[in-house]
Amino acid sequence: MSEKLRYLTSGESHGKALFCILEGVPSNLLISANDINNDLSRRQRGYGRGGRMKIESDTAKIFSGVRHGKTIGSPITIMIENKDWQNWQDIMSSQLTVDSSQLKAVTCPRPGHADIAGAIKYDAHDIRNILERSSARETAARVAAGAVARKFLSEFDIKILSYVTEIGGIKVHSSSRISRDTVHSSEEKFLEIFEKAEKSDVRCPDKNAEKKIMDKINKAMSKGDTLGGVFEIVAAGVPVGLGSYSQWDRRLNARLAYAIMSIQAIKGIEIGLGFEMSRKFGSEVMDEIFYSPPPSPPPSRGRVRVGGCYGFYRKTNNAGGIEGGISNGMPIVLRASMKPIPTLRTPLSSVDIVSKKTFKASYERSDVCAVPAASVIGEAMTALVIADAFLEKFGGDSMEEVKRNYEGYLEHVRKF
Ligand code: EPS
């Protein structure tokens, strides 16, 4: 793990605010709160989200690291206020002024949440102490950090996009997917799929599947139940050579898996053809290597995006853009599966942590389905990992220095 780009988040779900401190962003990157707010608002969308998203309109306040619209190389501090704090001031007060015996403790852990393991671990007799931080609300702060990483990567024509491939077992039709046969197709095809996803209430580029998914979410909603699903992320324009096989924790696939698996409710990740690869002959899945002399003069940087690294190219992308833990110049493709949200309006059986009697789990307001939001969070985590690996290879203290280093490397790749 290189950690050229480091970040921490803090804040409770119903506390005053969420924070993120991001360190390692070079100076002279143009950034504004609007760049961050766009992603914050994308994270809030999606059919099946709960009442909280109607209360919040997440916006970033930049407290440090940016001056007159440009980074200055010092840690960037971002705050996102919780509007709902108004309704939780006593319950979430940091002061002893509130009589805690008057506050109703949460004592029935929800199966599938961090509640019971967290309560035992932190010796908490009110599960609120656990659920406030384990809540996926924390991801708003990560999306803010990811938005800065995305802005940095955009300076090098690297785009990170995502869409939902299935919810509740209803899958997007193969013609609306990019991960298999069409993965090496033109940038236009990528963008078309993502534009459709962006307009969809469930980030699904296939209208037919979208309708079925929304019907299924309605069904879950009326039953007091929840749904999970799968989303796919594509990082296009990543140059050959990020990450390394030389040490286990430098492998780019491992770094991505770590970051994606850290998102609340994520239970699995695949890169490229993923699990499907294990069911095929080797000859069917390796991406054969071809060569055509690099065009002269060199194409604009954007052209590196699809099809590999100038002269060398592939016709398939079963590897998902990573071989031997190193980016190979093809788009990086990964999928993650999200379990259904564990907070159920019709709760499952649980045991009260105080009385030890069987009860129904506590119900906390929550979402019916948050897969579209997880997809946006996945983009942020991917952006942070790729920006970190990019800085490890081309690192510099200013954007100008990083750009010089990158241009020099592209020249090397072109001549290789
Ligand atoms: C979330 C905010 C939370 C939940 C959800 C994600 O708000 P509240 O708890 O006030 O309803 O909607 O949290 C969970 C899914 C979870 O498991 O905790 C958000 O901002 O994304």
Side-chain angles (χ1 to χ4, degrees):
M1 202 84 26
S2 126
E3 301 227 344
K4 289 282 175 216
L5 195 62
R6 300 186 294 161
Y7 56 98
L8 281 176
T9 70
S10 66
E12 276 80 40
S13 179
H14 304 100
K16 251 186 186 165
L18 299 163
F19 299 86
C20 147
I21 297 181
L22 178 63
E23 207 251 350
V25 180
S27 66
N28 302 334
L29 172 70
L30 283 170
I31 189 95
S32 72
N34 277 347
D35 294 320
I36 302 166
N37 291 342
N38 183 42
D39 276 349
L40 289 177
S41 124
R42 291 172 71 235
R43 192 201 74 95
Q44 285 200 266
R45 285 182 223 148
Y47 191 68
R49 299 223 67 189
R52 179 73 182 274
M53 291 304 108
K54 295 192 179 75
I55 300 172
E56 304 295 343
S57 51
D58 292 339
T59 40
K61 288 204 170 91
I62 301 174
F63 275 73
S64 75
V66 180
R67 187 162 174 250
H68 303 160
K70 273 186 185 178
T71 56
I72 55 172
S74 55
I76 299 172
T77 308
I78 301 167
M79 180 183 84
I80 302 155
E81 273 176 276
N82 287 322
K83 285 198 179 151
D84 206 16
W85 155 252
Q86 298 298 335
N87 308 315
W88 294 79
Q89 289 190 43
D90 283 349
I91 297 174
M92 292 305 294
S93 174
S94 61
Q95 318 267 328
L96 252 179
T97 47
V98 179
D99 178 2
S100 57
S101 64
Q102 297 300 304
L103 302 175
K104 198 175 163 337
V106 179
T107 55
C108 281
R110 296 160 295 173
H113 226 289
D115 297 356
I116 182 71
I120 295 169
K121 178 178 169 67
Y122 289 99
D123 197 10
H125 298 277
D126 179 355
I127 292 169
R128 180 149 305 285
N129 288 5
I130 307 306
L131 68 88
E132 282 291 333
R133 181 65 186 160
S134 60
S135 164
R137 174 95 190 118
E138 178 264 339
T139 58
R142 295 203 232 174
V143 167
V148 179
R150 186 200 292 281
K151 189 74 201 291
F152 167 78
L153 293 172
S154 74
E155 293 286 317
F156 305 94
D157 291 325
I158 297 172
K159 284 196 174 83
I160 295 172
L161 309 149
S162 76
Y163 67 109
V164 167
T165 64
E166 61 180 275
I167 287 180
I170 298 163
K171 293 183 184 165
V172 165
H173 190 267
S174 57
S175 61
S176 293
R177 297 192 54 164
I178 54 163
S179 60
R180 310 217 169 198
D181 305 338
T182 55
V183 75
H184 56 286
S185 67
S186 66
E187 192 190 337
E188 286 72 36
K189 172 80 180 169
F190 281 145
L191 295 180
E192 188 192 307
I193 286 172
F194 292 115
E195 267 160 30
K196 281 188 191 161
E198 211 58 39
K199 285 186 194 132
S200 160
D201 283 336
V202 285
R203 289 196 70 73
C204 170
D206 166 359
K207 279 273 165 213
N208 195 22
E210 179 193 65
K211 164 134 197 0
K212 288 188 189 154
I213 286 171
M214 285 168 80
D215 288 347
K216 189 136 187 193
I217 293 175
N218 286 338
K219 204 168 155 192
M221 212 179 283
S222 60
K223 285 200 307 173
D225 217 325
T226 58
L227 288 172
V230 178
F231 59 86
E232 183 162 283
I233 294 177
V234 175
V238 178
V240 59
L242 300 192
S244 176
Y245 52 79
S246 77
Q247 199 57 260
W248 66 272
D249 61 350
R250 293 185 60 195
R251 289 180 177 264
L252 192 61
N253 48 344
R255 288 154 73 169
L256 285 166
Y258 187 167
I260 297 292
M261 287 296 286
S262 77
I263 303 170
Q264 290 81 340
I266 299 301
K267 283 297 195 187
I269 177 168
E270 293 183 305
I271 296 189
L273 212 50
F275 278 41
E276 189 60 28
M277 212 179 230
S278 64
R279 301 178 192 116
K280 309 248 183 200
F281 285 113
S283 57
E284 293 175 283
V285 293
M286 301 310 151
D287 304 306
E288 290 181 291
I289 303 168
F290 301 89
Y291 184 80
S292 67
S296 183
S300 69
R301 271 208 319 261
R303 298 282 306 157
V304 185
R305 187 165 297 146
V306 178
C309 42
Y310 293 113
F312 297 95
Y313 70 97
R314 318 294 176 102
K315 294 180 182 172
T316 54
N317 188 19
N318 293 318
I322 303 176
E323 288 168 308
I326 310 178
S327 60
N328 65 7
M330 291 295 282
I332 291 176
V333 181
L334 60 88
R335 274 175 304 287
S337 83
M338 182 188 201
K339 71 181 181 185
I341 302 270
T343 309
L344 305 179
R345 205 165 26 97
T346 314
L348 299 173
S349 288
S350 181
V351 174
D352 188 284
I353 56 170
V354 180
S355 70
K356 310 293 186 288
K357 291 205 173 100
T358 298
F359 275 101
K360 289 292 177 194
S362 304
Y363 175 65
E364 290 275 324
R365 175 189 58 198
S366 188
D367 306 312
V368 174
C369 175
V371 182
S375 171
V376 174
I377 301 157
E379 288 177 21
M381 295 308 286
T382 303
L384 285 159
V385 170
I386 292 177
D388 180 45
F390 196 92
L391 282 165
E392 168 187 288
K393 182 141 179 65
F394 309 112
D397 296 306
S398 66
M399 287 304 287
E400 293 75 8
E401 192 178 0
V402 182
K403 280 182 185 171
R404 276 198 305 276
N405 295 343
Y406 188 49
E407 292 296 339
Y409 178 71
L410 288 185
E411 191 53 21
H412 153 75
V413 174
R414 217 175 68 78
K415 288 187 180 148
F416 182 82

